[in-house]
Amino acid sequence: MRREKPKFKQIIDAAVVVIAEHGYHQAQVSKIAKQAGVADGTIYLYFKNKEDILISLFQEKMGAFIEKIEQETEGISSPLEKLYVLVKTHFSALAADPHMAVVTQLELRQSNKELRHRINEVLKGYLRLIDRIIMEGMEKGEFRQDLDVRLTRQMIFGTLDETVTTWVMNEQKYDLAALADPVYELLVKGCAAGR
Amino acid sequence: MRREKPKFKQIIDAAVVVIAEHGYHQAQVSKIAKQAGVADGTIYLYFKNKEDILISLFQEKMGAFIEKIEQETEGISSPLEKLYVLVKTHFSALAADPHMAVVTQLELRQSNKELRHRINEVLKGYLRLIDRIIMEGMEKGEFRQDLDVRLTRQMIFGTLDETVTTWVMNEQKYDLAALADPVYELLVKGCAAGR
Amino acid sequence: MRREKPKFKQIIDAAVVVIAEHGYHQAQVSKIAKQAGVADGTIYLYFKNKEDILISLFQEKMGAFIEKIEQETEGISSPLEKLYVLVKTHFSALAADPHMAVVTQLELRQSNKELRHRINEVLKGYLRLIDRIIMEGMEKGEFRQDLDVRLTRQMIFGTLDETVTTWVMNEQKYDLAALADPVYELLVKGCAAGR
Amino acid sequence: MRREKPKFKQIIDAAVVVIAEHGYHQAQVSKIAKQAGVADGTIYLYFKNKEDILISLFQEKMGAFIEKIEQETEGISSPLEKLYVLVKTHFSALAADPHMAVVTQLELRQSNKELRHRINEVLKGYLRLIDRIIMEGMEKGEFRQDLDVRLTRQMIFGTLDETVTTWVMNEQKYDLAALADPVYELLVKGCAAGR
DNA sequence: CATGAATGAGTATTCATTCAT
DNA sequence: AATGAATGAATACTCATTCAT
């Protein structure tokens, strides 16, 4: 299994650092190789091509991200609480890894359409997780019955994503994790005044 | 005023078509010139460089977009209704211009960080418009009093943006404008069941 | 006669200024037109093409230069004295027109081989003048009898040219005209100690 | 040391041939690469950019030229004889390498001002060598005591340079080396008849 | 005569990928 | 397995010249 070989991780980690520091368009293969401490050619013993590095990077990191959120929400029975933990974990995981935040929110989005479609494949795992929470919430009566699952998931993911992106573009100046509570409340109650 | 010269618009429209059809990275200057029916060199009589075409494109189109939404919401006194019209207009404007939708949601995001920052400057006008609706809503008691304006705006914009992007990535297969009502309701009421 | 039309001179003078200030490779036709206060297209009513401007420039200025030296040396009977006046006039004419000095010594030499050959045609008038002084000097016994005219002329012109070029490259910091006496003596006596 | 790698010399030699045959402005990088038998990109493993090829070319060739003249004049005690050997070697070295003669006398002078200044830096080594001969000649009493070293050097270099350039522009039709004797005599004795 | 908007040919340089060692 | 020298395709921009007004 290539994912277990030490150089596989070594190269992916190097890619994250190089992209975060130099930006997507300045992340040449040779720069990644240098950062990883291997020869340019060695990259191609572990990855099919440059795109494959980026896809693998996203798979590895996003996979861990999803797994973490799944673990955190696993034992929880209340869908609303699950949603809260998801928001909290989403924010704190990215706040804890500033390099990764820059890479996922800004740099990787500069990739071409094909790569972005591949990335979306990976993202789907996360979106399905959100979908499951929504459906469970509707079943258990904690969420409104008339929700459109896809639209609700788009609201949740869109809000989280926009919040993190704004935070990254503001150079991560404020405490992202602290936004979990008000954002959760917004998603749950909406913006209108209650009756 | 260069913006009023016919070739200025002609070239920008050509750029939209070329980028939508061939993608950002395949939108060579010569391809845009050909589509516009002018010589390569003519481009440079109206634009400083390639990046300037893209920035101008975004300014022109986004400017018209914002202006349209401002006009539509102008006479309305209820902030909630303003929000509804904003959602509706946002969706229908992009649904009415599929090329532009592809360009703004997918292609232009591949641009480098500098261009994206310039684009964000233009976007700010739109975000400020949303902010004003939120503040007015709080003042008039239609929105909750404890809202964080920035977070609320990020929810609204993030949700709209994610919804449009998903629609574009699904090849605009369904009716985007029809989503205005449920999305509006989601934003206003949130996803939780009422008490 | 085009040479007598005011715009002809106007454009040539503009070319000298532009080339001296911006350098040969930055002396675009449009810049010369602007400096001359005419439209780009007007240039082509007076000159066949850009090269023609430069050739005409050289002909006009070099023609006046040669004429001046011919006039100064005309009444003089002694070839040695003629040579002295030539050296003196060569230096003082260029010292009096710093723009022109930069143009002839540095900028115009960046032109392509063909233009340089055309320029050499013009220069030949000057070289023939030097030749005549040498031959007269040999006839009148003031110059050595065994001189090779071409080589002697190359020594004279090469020395003057190198001296002016060095002066221009040193930013015309010292008094060029003051070098006429020692340079003349060098050309006449050579560098060896007399017997 | 890049100068010792075979491809470094290979590319420089190719540049000399291409420039001599096609002229400075027609010496595209791809043409040089083809002549050198390498890929375009390989050029940039050995040279920073195109200008660097030309500067290196001049440094390599002019360096060898100066070294050769230094070696030839080394053991000689008489400054006059040193001057003779310098003239002789200058002419015969350029006569032996017609390509290089075209490149140094005609083509490289078309380069822009910056490159020409870099080239002059290299030339200074040669001018200093001439200066040393002049000063030694004055000390040993073989040269006149009242010489201005700079002017004398300008006469010597200017004469040699003009002689070679004329020879190149006449398509190297006559025997340049044979001119060493009369040119030397001119430089030493001047053109005036002895007393 | 004069204008100036429009033309379009031409070129240095980068970098993902290969393959002989 | 690992290396790194070599490859070569691909593209924005300038500016001399024209010609309809």
Side-chain angles (χ1 to χ4, degrees):
Chain A
M1 188 71 182
R2 70 171 190 173
R3 313 167 45 127
E4 286 152 13
K5 296 192 183 171
K7 287 204 175 146
F8 180 83
K9 284 189 72 63
Q10 196 173 325
I11 291 165
I12 284 189
D13 289 338
V16 174
V17 172
V18 169
I19 294 174
E21 288 183 353
H22 299 273
Y24 179 80
H25 289 293
Q26 281 306 306
Q28 294 88 349
V29 171
S30 63
K31 216 178 259 173
I32 295 173
K34 197 171 197 178
Q35 171 76 27
V38 300
D40 293 17
T42 305
I43 300 268
Y44 291 87
L45 298 174
Y46 295 89
F47 300 90
K48 213 165 86 263
N49 49 35
K50 187 181 178 180
E51 201 175 47
D52 190 29
I53 306 175
L54 303 174
I55 294 170
S56 303
L57 179 163
F58 202 78
Q59 285 175 333
E60 285 292 303
K61 299 296 185 176
M62 196 65 200
F65 182 80
I66 297 174
E67 206 170 334
K68 184 189 182 103
I69 294 184
E70 276 176 339
Q71 284 172 359
E72 299 281 343
T73 55
E74 208 165 9
I76 302 170
S77 58
S78 158
L80 274 176
E81 204 183 328
K82 270 189 181 168
L83 177 59
Y84 175 75
V85 171
L86 180 138
V87 174
K88 188 90 190 172
T89 314
H90 188 126
F91 285 173
S92 52
L94 285 164
D97 192 347
H99 272 169
M100 198 57 201
V102 172
V103 171
T104 59
Q105 303 302 125
L106 299 185
E107 301 301 341
L108 235 42
R109 312 211 169 179
Q110 297 175 54
S111 56
N112 59 49
K113 228 189 297 185
E114 198 202 317
L115 177 50
R116 288 223 309 298
H117 268 105
R118 301 290 307 270
I119 283 176
N120 274 330
E121 287 302 310
V122 181
L123 255 189
K124 272 188 186 156
Y126 189 43
L127 302 181
R128 293 297 78 78
L129 171 58
I130 300 178
D131 284 355
R132 284 198 300 276
I133 295 178
I134 297 167
M135 290 185 290
E136 201 185 325
M138 289 166 71
E139 284 165 19
K140 296 201 176 172
E142 291 188 7
F143 285 23
R144 283 195 283 120
Q145 301 301 317
D146 58 345
L147 292 180
D148 177 313
V149 176
R150 189 179 62 194
L151 290 183
T152 309
R153 173 240 297 160
Q154 283 166 9
M155 173 178 72
I156 295 171
F157 182 76
T159 301
L160 298 184
D161 195 56
E162 178 71 13
T163 304
V164 178
T165 298
T166 304
W167 171 75
V168 170
M169 292 197 91
N170 284 330
E171 285 157 24
Q172 319 188 335
K173 280 199 289 260
Y174 45 87
D175 181 3
L176 179 63
L179 302 181
D181 284 26
V183 165
Y184 165 74
E185 207 169 290
L186 261 175
L187 292 171
V188 168
K189 298 194 203 163
C191 58
R195 281 129 292 156
Chain B
M1 190 73 184
R2 72 168 191 177
R3 312 167 45 130
E4 286 152 13
K5 296 190 181 169
K7 291 216 170 130
F8 180 82
K9 285 188 73 64
Q10 196 174 325
I11 291 165
I12 283 191
D13 289 338
V16 174
V17 173
V18 170
I19 294 175
E21 287 182 353
H22 299 272
Y24 180 81
H25 289 294
Q26 279 306 305
Q28 294 88 347
V29 171
S30 63
K31 217 177 259 171
I32 295 172
K34 197 171 198 177
Q35 170 76 26
V38 300
D40 292 17
T42 305
I43 300 266
Y44 293 89
L45 297 176
Y46 296 89
F47 300 91
K48 217 166 81 263
N49 49 37
K50 186 179 178 180
E51 198 177 45
D52 190 29
I53 306 176
L54 304 174
I55 293 171
S56 303
L57 180 164
F58 201 78
Q59 286 175 333
E60 285 294 300
K61 300 295 186 178
M62 196 65 200
F65 181 82
I66 296 175
E67 208 171 333
K68 185 190 182 102
I69 294 184
E70 276 176 341
Q71 284 172 357
E72 299 280 344
T73 55
E74 208 165 8
I76 303 171
S77 58
S78 158
L80 274 175
E81 205 184 325
K82 270 189 181 168
L83 177 59
Y84 175 75
V85 171
L86 181 138
V87 174
K88 188 90 190 170
T89 315
H90 187 126
F91 285 173
S92 53
L94 285 163
D97 193 348
H99 274 166
M100 196 59 202
V102 172
V103 171
T104 59
Q105 303 303 123
L106 299 185
E107 301 301 342
L108 235 41
R109 314 210 169 179
Q110 297 174 53
S111 56
N112 58 49
K113 232 187 290 183
E114 197 203 316
L115 177 50
R116 286 222 311 298
H117 268 104
R118 301 289 305 270
I119 283 177
N120 275 330
E121 286 303 309
V122 181
L123 254 189
K124 272 187 187 158
Y126 189 43
L127 302 182
R128 292 295 80 78
L129 172 58
I130 300 178
D131 285 353
R132 285 199 300 277
I133 295 179
I134 296 167
M135 289 185 290
E136 201 186 324
M138 289 167 70
E139 284 166 19
K140 297 202 175 172
E142 291 188 6
F143 285 25
R144 284 194 283 120
Q145 302 299 318
D146 59 344
L147 292 179
D148 176 313
V149 176
R150 189 178 64 194
L151 289 182
T152 309
R153 173 241 297 161
Q154 283 166 9
M155 174 179 71
I156 295 171
F157 182 77
T159 301
L160 298 184
D161 195 58
E162 178 70 14
T163 303
V164 179
T165 298
T166 304
W167 171 74
V168 171
M169 291 195 90
N170 284 331
E171 285 157 26
Q172 319 184 336
K173 281 199 290 255
Y174 45 87
D175 181 2
L176 179 63
L179 302 182
D181 284 27
V183 165
Y184 165 74
E185 206 168 290
L186 261 177
L187 292 172
V188 168
K189 298 196 204 160
C191 57
R195 277 131 291 149
Chain C
M1 188 73 183
R2 72 169 190 174
R3 312 166 45 127
E4 286 152 12
K5 298 191 182 170
K7 287 206 175 145
F8 181 82
K9 282 189 74 64
Q10 198 173 323
I11 290 165
I12 284 190
D13 288 338
V16 174
V17 173
V18 170
I19 294 175
E21 287 182 353
H22 300 273
Y24 179 80
H25 290 294
Q26 281 306 306
Q28 293 87 349
V29 170
S30 63
K31 214 177 262 173
I32 295 172
K34 196 172 199 178
Q35 170 76 26
V38 301
D40 292 18
T42 306
I43 299 267
Y44 291 87
L45 300 174
Y46 296 89
F47 299 91
K48 214 166 83 259
N49 51 34
K50 186 181 180 181
E51 201 175 46
D52 190 28
I53 307 176
L54 304 173
I55 294 171
S56 303
L57 180 165
F58 202 78
Q59 286 175 332
E60 285 293 300
K61 299 296 185 178
M62 197 64 200
F65 182 82
I66 296 175
E67 207 170 332
K68 186 190 181 102
I69 294 184
E70 276 176 338
Q71 284 172 358
E72 299 280 343
T73 55
E74 208 165 7
I76 302 171
S77 59
S78 157
L80 273 177
E81 206 183 324
K82 272 190 181 169
L83 176 60
Y84 175 76
V85 171
L86 180 138
V87 173
K88 188 90 190 172
T89 315
H90 187 127
F91 284 174
S92 51
L94 285 164
D97 193 348
H99 273 168
M100 196 60 202
V102 172
V103 171
T104 59
Q105 303 303 124
L106 298 185
E107 302 300 342
L108 235 42
R109 314 213 167 177
Q110 297 174 52
S111 55
N112 58 48
K113 229 188 295 184
E114 199 202 317
L115 177 51
R116 286 224 311 297
H117 269 104
R118 302 290 305 272
I119 283 176
N120 275 331
E121 287 303 309
V122 181
L123 254 190
K124 272 188 186 157
Y126 189 43
L127 302 182
R128 292 296 79 78
L129 171 59
I130 300 178
D131 284 354
R132 285 198 299 277
I133 295 177
I134 298 168
M135 289 184 291
E136 199 185 326
M138 290 167 70
E139 284 165 19
K140 296 202 173 172
E142 289 188 7
F143 285 25
R144 285 195 282 120
Q145 302 300 317
D146 57 345
L147 291 180
D148 176 312
V149 175
R150 188 180 63 194
L151 290 183
T152 309
R153 173 242 297 163
Q154 285 166 8
M155 173 178 73
I156 294 170
F157 182 76
T159 302
L160 297 184
D161 195 58
E162 177 72 13
T163 303
V164 178
T165 298
T166 303
W167 171 75
V168 171
M169 294 196 88
N170 284 330
E171 286 158 24
Q172 319 187 335
K173 280 200 289 257
Y174 45 86
D175 181 3
L176 179 63
L179 301 181
D181 284 29
V183 165
Y184 165 75
E185 206 169 290
L186 261 177
L187 292 171
V188 168
K189 297 195 204 163
C191 58
R195 276 129 295 149
Chain D
M1 189 73 184
R2 72 170 189 173
R3 311 165 46 126
E4 286 153 13
K5 296 188 181 170
K7 290 212 171 132
F8 180 82
K9 285 186 74 64
Q10 197 174 326
I11 291 165
I12 284 191
D13 289 340
V16 174
V17 173
V18 170
I19 294 174
E21 288 182 354
H22 299 272
Y24 179 80
H25 289 293
Q26 280 304 308
Q28 294 89 346
V29 171
S30 63
K31 215 178 262 173
I32 295 172
K34 197 171 200 177
Q35 171 76 27
V38 301
D40 292 18
T42 305
I43 300 267
Y44 292 87
L45 297 177
Y46 296 89
F47 299 90
K48 214 163 84 264
N49 49 35
K50 187 179 178 182
E51 199 176 46
D52 190 29
I53 306 176
L54 304 174
I55 293 171
S56 302
L57 180 164
F58 201 79
Q59 286 176 332
E60 285 293 300
K61 300 295 186 176
M62 195 66 199
F65 181 82
I66 296 174
E67 206 171 335
K68 186 189 182 102
I69 295 184
E70 276 177 339
Q71 283 172 358
E72 299 281 343
T73 55
E74 206 166 12
I76 302 170
S77 59
S78 158
L80 274 176
E81 203 182 327
K82 272 189 180 169
L83 176 60
Y84 175 74
V85 171
L86 180 139
V87 173
K88 187 89 189 173
T89 314
H90 187 126
F91 284 174
S92 51
L94 284 164
D97 193 347
H99 274 165
M100 196 58 202
V102 172
V103 171
T104 59
Q105 302 303 123
L106 299 185
E107 301 301 342
L108 235 41
R109 312 207 173 183
Q110 297 174 51
S111 55
N112 58 49
K113 229 187 292 183
E114 198 204 315
L115 178 50
R116 288 223 310 298
H117 267 105
R118 302 288 307 269
I119 284 177
N120 274 331
E121 286 303 308
V122 181
L123 254 191
K124 272 188 187 158
Y126 189 42
L127 302 182
R128 293 296 80 78
L129 172 59
I130 300 179
D131 284 353
R132 285 199 299 277
I133 295 178
I134 297 168
M135 288 185 290
E136 199 186 326
M138 289 167 71
E139 282 166 19
K140 295 200 175 173
E142 292 187 6
F143 285 25
R144 284 196 282 120
Q145 301 300 315
D146 58 345
L147 292 179
D148 177 312
V149 174
R150 189 180 62 194
L151 290 181
T152 309
R153 173 241 297 159
Q154 284 167 9
M155 173 179 72
I156 294 171
F157 182 77
T159 302
L160 298 184
D161 195 57
E162 178 71 15
T163 303
V164 177
T165 298
T166 303
W167 170 74
V168 170
M169 293 196 88
N170 284 329
E171 286 157 25
Q172 318 186 336
K173 281 199 290 258
Y174 45 86
D175 181 3
L176 179 64
L179 303 180
D181 284 30
V183 165
Y184 164 74
E185 207 169 288
L186 261 176
L187 292 172
V188 167
K189 297 193 202 164
C191 59
R195 279 129 295 155

